[in-house]
Amino acid sequence: SANEWKTFMKDYGEDSPVRTYTAFSGYSVGEFVEHPSFGLGKVIEITGAQKVTIVFQDGRKTLICNRPRSSEE
């Protein structure tokens, strides 16, 4: 919910580091990320070796992370 997002984002400031989300990256709890569709969010849980839960303004999303790059890329 938006209230949950506000709670998690209360320690966000203009000079807070923000990483652009990609499925290939690894994340840590507490990091701020910018997602191309969901906007600004905060990592709240590592839910598996390749899954991360991020709270965005429109709710929590479980996204892929640490995806190995294929040799074609």
Side-chain angles (χ1 to χ4, degrees):
S1 73
N3 284 344
E4 180 184 49
W5 186 78
K6 283 181 186 169
T7 300
F8 280 110
M9 297 303 288
K10 69 178 182 282
D11 57 346
Y12 174 76
E14 282 182 24
D15 53 355
S16 296
V18 178
R19 295 177 58 198
T20 301
Y21 169 81
T22 76
F24 304 107
S25 297
Y27 298 94
S28 301
V29 171
E31 281 189 295
F32 296 106
V33 295
E34 182 73 36
H35 189 282
S37 301
F38 306 128
L40 182 65
K42 185 175 185 179
V43 177
I44 58 169
E45 188 181 0
I46 308 302
T47 49
Q50 294 187 333
K51 289 192 176 168
V52 62
T53 301
I54 303 174
V55 64
F56 295 100
Q57 197 158 8
D58 60 350
R60 292 178 181 215
K61 307 281 183 198
T62 299
L63 303 175
I64 294 168
C65 65
N66 292 318
R67 177 187 283 169
R69 292 183 184 272
S70 69
S71 56
E72 291 123 43
E73 292 185 63

